[in-house]
């Protein structure tokens, strides 16, 4: 059987974790791209923990793709679709199938239709598939919800709550939810769009489409800081009283004048992690995942598992609704 080759674009914590899982599942790494000058020239195997690969990390995406000609690409650089496009388009134009952790790519047809059409056109022309995946968006608040709804005869309302202990998460995630900031720093970062979860509108529209909600919709999104009442330890950080522990974020989608989707996220140091899905319908459902889903591990797993089956889709921009959920057993262990 021909070995399938892949490139990693973005060697941060998620890119490396997902890349290592893809390697364990039998894919062959042939290129690694990252613009961080501290990573240039390093063997990506050192970063992935798979052992030497003979490759070198490069910041030049197009030359890497031309030289290696991978069949697949694992993309993990940006949450925003507009920022990710300059990296996605060179891949799909060459016929390279891409699975990306870009949150806004999970379901962009209603939130950014022009960019979605542009990427879809390029992918179709190149004969490639491009898919946004992950755990949130990508699973807990959308794909898993839609899967659960298959057991319902009628659905009136969906509510999903995700509560995370930010102290156990990677440093970039802690920064994204404002851990350790003063209130003034939080407000400024929020004003600049640097705080909070990206992907709420995409998840909400995906669920709304799945339950057949009217197309005329209103979205109301709210974000607020959660402030420490006393000195708190968050991983390697000491948070003084009065500083930010994390966030509480909520999105409500109304269609036809009626609330039909509510998404809530609490991510702060010291939280008791839990994921919960409630469906009002026939029958009504109440699912809880005690301890929640490990965001980093689950995100990497979703990306790697989807990468192994993306070639079975028709070319173009695809969404989570197009791909079945499947676990792929590792074929090899990490090299020591």
């Amino acid at each position: 059987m021909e070995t399938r080759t892949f490139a990693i674009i973005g060697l941060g914590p998620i890119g490396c974790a997902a890349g290592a899982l893809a390697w364990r599942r039998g894919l062959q790494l042939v290129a690694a791209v990252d613009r961080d000058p501290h990573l240039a020239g390093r063997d990506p195997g050192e970063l992935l923990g798979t052992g030497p690969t003979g490759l070198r990390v490069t910041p030049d995406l197009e030359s890497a793709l031309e030289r290696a000609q991978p069949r697949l690409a694992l993309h993990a650089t940006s949450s925003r679709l507009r920022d990710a496009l300059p990296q996605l388009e060179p891949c799909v134009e060459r016929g390279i199938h891409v699975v990306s952790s870009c949150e806004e790519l999970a379901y962009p047809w209603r939130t950014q239709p022009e960019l979605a059409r542009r990427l879809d056109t390029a992918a179709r022309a190149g004969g490639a598939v491009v898919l946004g995946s992950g755990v949130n968006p990508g699973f807990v608040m959308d794909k898993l919800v839609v899967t659960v709804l298959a057991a319902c005869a009628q659905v009136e309302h969906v509510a999903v709550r995700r509560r995370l202990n930010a102290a156990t998460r990677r440093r970039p995630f802690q920064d994204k939810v404002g851990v350790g900031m003063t209130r003034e720093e939080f407000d400024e970062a929020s004003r600049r769009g640097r705080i909070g979860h990206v992907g709420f509108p995409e998840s909400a529209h995906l669920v709304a489409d799945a339950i057949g909600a009217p197309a005329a919709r209103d979205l109301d999104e709210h974000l607020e800081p959660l402030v420490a009442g006393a000195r708190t330890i968050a991983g390697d950080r000491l948070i003084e009283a009065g500083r930010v522990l994390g966030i509480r974020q909520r999105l409500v989608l109304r269609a036809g004048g009626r609330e039909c989707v509510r998404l809530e996220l609490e991510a702060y140091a010291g939280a008791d992690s839990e994921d919960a899905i409630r469906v009002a319908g026939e029958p009504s459902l109440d699912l809880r995942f005690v301890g929640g889903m490990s965001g980093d591990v689950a995100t990497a797993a979703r990306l790697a598992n989807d990468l192994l089956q993306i070639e079975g889709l028709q070319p173009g921009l695809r969404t989570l609704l197009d791909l079945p959920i499947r676990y792929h057993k590792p074929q090899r262990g990490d090299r020591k």
Side-chain angles (χ1 to χ4, degrees), residues 73-222:
L74 176 63
H75 175 267
T77 68
S78 174
S79 297
R80 304 294 182 181
L81 179 52
R82 188 172 296 278
D83 295 335
L85 270 178
Q87 298 148 7
L88 298 173
E89 288 179 320
C91 293
V92 299
E93 289 167 356
R94 291 171 169 81
I96 301 168
H97 306 296
V98 184
V99 173
S100 173
S101 65
C102 175
E103 285 93 332
E104 290 185 343
L105 185 60
Y107 202 72
W109 290 105
R110 289 192 179 274
T111 56
Q112 300 185 74
E114 292 185 3
L115 295 183
R117 284 193 295 269
R118 170 178 158 180
L119 185 55
D120 181 57
T121 298
R124 289 174 183 268
V129 179
V130 58
L131 174 79
S133 184
V135 74
N136 189 32
F139 192 62
V140 177
M141 288 187 159
D142 36 52
K143 180 69 171 182
L144 179 59
V145 176
V146 172
T147 302
V148 168
L149 296 182
C152 296
Q154 181 70 27
V155 177
E156 301 297 333
H157 184 270
V158 174
V160 186
R161 186 189 72 248
R162 184 159 167 78
R163 188 168 63 234
L164 305 170
N165 182 4
T168 64
R169 299 295 298 275
R170 66 192 189 278
R171 190 67 174 253
F173 180 88
Q174 293 184 11
D175 293 339
K176 189 169 67 172
V177 298
V179 173
M181 289 183 176
T182 65
R183 181 59 190 266
E184 292 74 20
E185 291 170 338
F186 182 94
D187 291 343
E188 176 63 17
S190 179
R191 186 182 67 81
R192 294 177 176 271
R194 297 175 179 171
I195 290 290
H197 170 64
V198 177
F200 259 169
E202 287 73 22
S203 292
H205 280 299
L206 187 151
V207 173
D209 282 347
I211 65 177
R217 301 170 183 176
D218 295 315
L219 275 72
D220 178 23
E221 194 163 0
H222 176 73

Side-chain angles (χ1 to χ4, degrees), residues 298-319:
T299 297
R302 290 283 294 119
L303 293 169
N305 285 321
D306 287 351
L307 193 65
L308 266 74
Q309 56 183 342
I310 190 174
E311 292 176 277
L313 301 178
Q314 291 295 314
L317 171 57
R318 299 300 167 195
T319 74

